Amino acid sequence: DRESREAGGGVAAMTVRTDPEGNETAALFDLVELQGAHVLEIGAGDGRLTLRYAHRAARVTAIEPFEASFTRANDRLLEEVRSQPGVSRAGLIRLLPLAAPIGDWGLTIENYQPPPGVGTPGDWQIASEDGIEALGERIVRGRGLAADDTAGRDNVALINEAMASKYWAGEDAIGRRFRMGGPERPWSTVVCIGANARQHGSSAAINPQFYRA
């Protein structure tokens, strides 16, 4: 049971209530030309339709405001990619190295007092299990982020060598804690140190950086 219509300006829209025959993909391809297109999908849900057409499009930007659906979409995407022949690792990451500048966050470092007038910044990233390993980035010590290291659960973090040497110079950073912001924010425990990787440019300085799940 499908309903479709053509909206103004040549933009096509489709709503699908039920599809017991599994004909959603065919209906979508009949409705709009996706080959080589730049697609903006608003309300992508768990990515069920997105993954069916993404291989045809040149670029897909899928927006989903509900966290539970967004999480299911990420899981679905990883499952799909990891099932492909020849894929040994796959993960998700907020921003690829050298792709765009990433913001930093004012940190509170447990038992660390910075010099007067000096802040404690850290470039922040979000990554899934195998997120940095799939990029070929090297783990120096500790363990990588795991599938169950979800934000707000165990509050663990992976940091780079630059962050370890800046805030825990001469010490083992594994097991140490920091938090993003002030005392109302939860502590994150360092479980891994990754090798430095350039984020902001091939000749730019490497900043302290951390990854959260």
Side-chain angles (χ1 to χ4, degrees), residues 47-169:
R48 178 172 50 87
L49 279 177
T50 311
L51 290 175
R52 296 184 188 180
Y53 73 75
H55 66 282
R56 291 196 177 195
R59 180 173 181 175
V60 175
T61 301
I63 299 174
E64 173 51 52
F66 295 103
E67 184 177 357
S69 295
F70 180 76
T71 299
R72 288 197 300 273
N74 284 344
D75 292 342
R76 185 185 293 270
L77 175 61
L78 282 176
E79 181 181 353
E80 176 74 15
V81 172
R82 287 167 175 165
S83 69
Q84 301 304 308
V87 174
S88 58
R89 287 183 182 271
L92 301 173
I93 196 166
R94 173 175 163 258
L95 285 174
L96 291 172
L98 307 180
I102 61 176
D104 61 8
W105 201 288
L107 304 177
T108 299
I109 311 296
E110 188 176 36
N111 299 323
Y112 175 83
Q113 184 63 44
V118 177
T120 51
D123 288 356
W124 68 284
Q125 277 275 35
I126 297 173
S128 72
E129 178 188 25
D130 283 340
I132 70 163
E133 293 92 333
L135 292 175
E137 295 187 16
R138 181 171 56 89
I139 291 179
V140 176
R141 192 161 65 258
R143 67 168 179 86
L145 296 175
D148 59 355
D149 287 333
T150 52
R153 181 179 175 182
D154 297 323
N155 290 317
V156 301
L158 181 157
I159 66 173
N160 68 352
E161 293 171 299
M163 183 164 171
S165 62
K166 181 177 178 65
Y167 300 129
W168 296 285

Side-chain angles (χ1 to χ4, degrees), residues 32-40 53-54 56-60:
V32 62
E33 177 56 57
L34 293 169
Q35 191 68 43
H38 286 226
V39 179
L40 171 62
Y53 73 75
R56 291 196 177 195
R59 180 173 181 175
V60 175

